[in-house]
Structures are given as C-alpha cells and as structure tokens.
Amino acid sequence: LVDGGVLAGAKFSLTVADPAIANCPLIGISAGFTEMTGYHLHETLGRSCGFLLTGVPDQDIDAIMRSRSRDFVAQVMTDIKSRAEGAKPAENKEMLILQQNARKDG
C-alpha cells in the first residue's frame, strides 16, 4: 500500500490507516480519495488522518465517531502490547470510519 498498490487505481474514495503504529498513520489512499480531496499520496502517507479535518467547522465533525476511532486505536495498541507480553491474540478487528472531509483547496 505504501506505493499506492492496489488502491492506486481505485475510483472510489478510501484511505487505510494502521492503528498498530503510533498516531495511526495513513498507509494507503485511493485515486478517488485524491480526486475528492485534492490530497496526493506524498501528502498523506505517514500522517494521522486528523489533518483532514483542518478547516472543517466544528459542527460538521462527528465527535462521537472521532471518539470511537480513538477508542479503537487505543484498544489495538493494548492488544499489541498484550501479545508482546505473551497473551493470546484477540480476534482480528477492523473498523470503517466515515467522516466528512474538506478539500484542501476549500
């Protein structure tokens, strides 16, 4: 995914983040995401998706979904630490988060 991989040609908007890495950075984006937001691969990889909310009015941000996202990432990090200490791995977990975003050029 780091070089665009299978997402590179996808016409729908999608980002993939890795909650196992501190700050849950983006590790992939689709061409549709670039078209919708104006952000290119080199501007997004390795960044937390929070930057996408820059300029979005507070009333348009889903605070409950952001809270659930943070809780999910915290749980993944706890699971990773537990596994490193020898605990049985938890079930694989995935989360789909929908959040209104603003284009970088307004």
Side-chain angles (χ1 to χ4, degrees):
L1 289 177
V2 173
D3 64 356
V6 270
L7 294 179
K11 296 187 189 267
F12 53 89
S13 179
L14 178 74
T15 61
V16 177
D18 188 344
I21 300 173
N23 296 320
C24 195
L26 295 175
I27 59 170
I29 65 169
S30 67
F33 173 82
T34 296
E35 184 177 330
M36 182 181 85
T37 66
Y39 287 100
H40 295 272
L41 190 66
H42 70 277
E43 297 174 281
T44 59
L45 289 184
R47 293 180 74 180
S48 170
C49 61
F51 82 92
L52 296 169
L53 296 176
T54 301
V56 176
D58 288 343
Q59 68 269 16
D60 290 341
I61 297 173
D62 187 336
I64 293 171
M65 186 59 72
R66 287 190 44 86
S67 176
R68 289 179 183 161
S69 300
R70 283 190 291 274
D71 292 346
F72 173 77
V73 170
Q75 184 60 53
V76 169
M77 296 307 294
T78 298
D79 289 349
I80 289 169
K81 183 179 178 187
S82 295
R83 280 184 245 158
E85 295 170 352
K88 181 181 175 186
E91 292 181 29
N92 287 336
K93 298 176 185 176
E94 295 179 1
M95 182 175 197
L96 176 64
I97 300 168
L98 304 175
Q99 178 68 55
Q100 181 179 10
N101 296 316
R103 285 189 56 82
K104 73 175 188 175
D105 59 3

